Amino acid sequence: MQVAILMIHVVIAVALVVLILLQQGKGAEAGAAFGGGASQTVFGSRGSGNFLSRTTAILAAGFFATSMALAYFATQAGQAPEAGIPDSRLIEQQQSIPTLDDRPAGVDNTAPVLEESSE
């Protein structure tokens, strides 16, 4: 079920990108005065704006619904993500690792000095 929703989610995302790129910006009406408006006759006299806007809104609602469904399935899985915040027990284990300042009292860590020999 989760894989099917994920596949639908990806298809909707790609369709949203394509539809958004097909839409004209707010300043695109100025080009219609110079003969660029003839290409919009396929979608009727009002142009493609209404059709593309409605389709984009429907796909956006579907994208939101599939996102929520995938989030629900992720929370029900009960497994923490690998790249998330580590478990508190793991953090405590990492903090108990000895550092260089935690040396035993009877150990001399000074560097040895070579004595000069006179021959």
Side-chain angles (χ1 to χ4, degrees):
M1 179 73 171
Q2 188 174 359
V3 174
I5 292 176
L6 182 62
M7 291 173 59
I8 292 169
H9 186 74
V10 170
V11 168
I12 289 175
V14 170
L16 267 173
V17 169
V18 169
L19 278 176
I20 290 171
L21 290 176
L22 282 177
Q23 294 182 23
Q24 294 179 350
K26 294 281 184 188
E29 289 86 24
F34 300 106
S39 64
Q40 294 183 357
T41 57
V42 174
F43 293 103
S45 62
R46 294 190 53 151
S48 63
N50 200 13
F51 171 75
L52 291 178
S53 296
R54 284 184 186 172
T55 308
T56 303
I58 291 169
L59 286 178
F63 186 80
F64 180 75
T66 56
S67 296
M68 294 301 286
L70 288 172
Y72 175 75
F73 285 130
T75 58
Q76 295 301 317
Q79 297 178 359
E82 293 293 326
I85 299 173
D87 190 31
S88 63
R89 291 173 289 186
L90 180 64
I91 294 172
E92 290 172 5
Q93 286 176 352
Q94 289 177 351
Q95 290 177 352
S96 66
I97 296 173
T99 62
L100 293 176
D101 296 333
D102 298 335
R103 61 180 174 220
V107 177
D108 183 23
N109 284 338
T110 59
V113 178
L114 296 177
E115 296 180 14
E116 294 183 24
S117 62
S118 57
E119 290 182 26

